[in-house]
Amino acid sequence: MKTIGLLGGMSWESSADYYRLINETIKSELGGLHSAKCILFSVDFQEIETYQFSNQWDKSADLLTDACLSLEKAGADYIVICTNTMHKVADAVQQKIGIPILHIAKVTADTLKQNNIKKVGLLGTKFTMEEDFYKQIIEENGIDVIIPDQAERQQVSTIIYEGLCLGKISAASKEFYLKVVDKLNQQGAEGVILGCTEIGMLINHNDTTVPLFDTTKIHAVQAALQSLDR
């Protein structure tokens, strides 16, 4: 079994889900008392958030690179960055480390293709929804990406930073997200990517008939399977 290097803390709320999902997958695959071999480096999200909103992505890339180098030195075989937004700097980090990064958008695109999705809605932070670093990977796989309007994007992102990342789950936030999901569906989306690792804390497939693609679950399950060379 390979050793997974988990780069977490962005936020720790969703990083805890990664750890659970990875170990549940290993248990399901191998049975008995099997669990994943993994190493966790958890950053201080306040630092990361400050760099994000001050457009200092180079500093956040340096911080994540140092964390990944620590995981590599500790024996990790590959890296799982437990967040969508910080994959904005994944290429820069990859260039400076000697082990691969399992990219969250790439495994999500694979899952969409397996489900024959041709047009998908994307929810996440404003960075993820509005910039190309994430959408481009999905689109390169022949899948059209649509996003909410500007006001909706702002509210979607605000709920993430001021609610979900702090573990705050409200009925009003859930209702808003589900309305956005329905609107994207009406605009032709055959499914919606939960493109922030906290969104699965708020809504899931039981809340809507629109297919939801929870990137936390997709990423964590693939991380576990890769440790088994599958």
Side-chain angles (χ1 to χ4, degrees):
M1 187 187 299
K2 292 181 179 179
T3 300
I4 307 167
L6 295 172
L7 180 48
M10 301 168 282
S11 68
W12 70 261
E13 299 277 353
S14 61
S15 298
D17 285 335
Y18 267 87
Y19 186 74
R20 174 181 56 80
L21 288 163
I22 286 170
N23 281 290
E24 286 178 352
T25 302
I26 294 297
K27 180 180 179 181
S28 175
E29 291 292 318
L30 300 181
L33 296 176
H34 285 289
S35 57
K37 292 183 178 179
C38 56
I39 306 165
L40 171 64
F41 192 114
S42 189
V43 300
D44 179 0
F45 191 34
Q46 184 66 61
E47 281 186 88
I48 296 293
E49 191 262 0
T50 298
Y51 290 146
Q52 288 177 345
F53 284 91
S54 60
N55 200 32
Q56 297 183 83
W57 294 96
D58 54 339
K59 290 187 177 181
S60 63
D62 289 343
L63 192 156
L64 296 196
T65 297
D66 289 344
C68 287
L69 288 171
S70 294
L71 288 168
E72 182 178 358
K73 185 176 181 180
D77 291 299
Y78 55 96
I79 299 293
V80 175
I81 303 175
C82 303
T83 171
N84 285 273
T85 298
M86 292 314 297
H87 279 75
K88 177 178 169 71
V89 299
D91 289 344
V93 174
Q94 184 67 83
Q95 293 174 10
K96 297 179 181 179
I97 64 175
I99 56 177
I101 294 172
L102 182 64
H103 201 292
I104 195 167
K106 292 179 180 178
V107 297
T108 298
D110 289 342
T111 300
L112 294 171
K113 289 167 65 178
Q114 291 166 10
N115 284 270
N116 298 312
I117 299 295
K118 301 299 183 183
K119 189 172 186 177
V120 71
L122 173 62
L123 301 179
T125 66
K126 287 187 67 177
F127 307 110
T128 300
M129 290 186 287
E130 295 178 356
E131 300 185 28
D132 289 335
F133 70 91
Y134 195 96
K135 291 185 294 185
Q136 183 175 347
I137 291 173
I138 306 298
E139 292 169 343
E140 286 173 350
N141 282 271
I143 302 165
D144 292 332
V145 178
I146 59 175
I147 58 176
D149 66 33
Q150 185 175 6
E152 290 168 339
R153 293 197 302 271
Q154 181 60 57
Q155 184 63 9
V156 165
S157 195
T158 297
I159 288 171
I160 291 169
Y161 283 102
E162 297 182 9
L164 302 181
C165 288
L166 297 172
K168 298 177 181 178
I169 311 297
S170 77
S173 294
K174 183 172 184 176
E175 180 181 4
F176 174 77
Y177 265 67
L178 290 174
K179 285 182 178 179
V180 174
V181 167
D182 285 341
K183 186 175 177 180
L184 291 170
N185 181 235
Q186 292 167 13
Q187 293 171 347
E190 301 165 311
V192 174
I193 300 170
L194 306 186
C196 175
T197 53
E198 285 79 25
I199 298 178
M201 297 161 51
L202 184 65
I203 61 174
N204 59 55
H205 68 276
N206 294 316
D207 299 314
T208 177
T209 58
V210 180
L212 300 179
F213 295 89
D214 186 344
T215 54
T216 302
K217 185 173 183 179
I218 292 168
H219 203 201
V221 169
Q222 288 304 311
L225 295 178
Q226 182 160 317
S227 75
L228 302 175
D229 290 321
R230 299 181 182 175

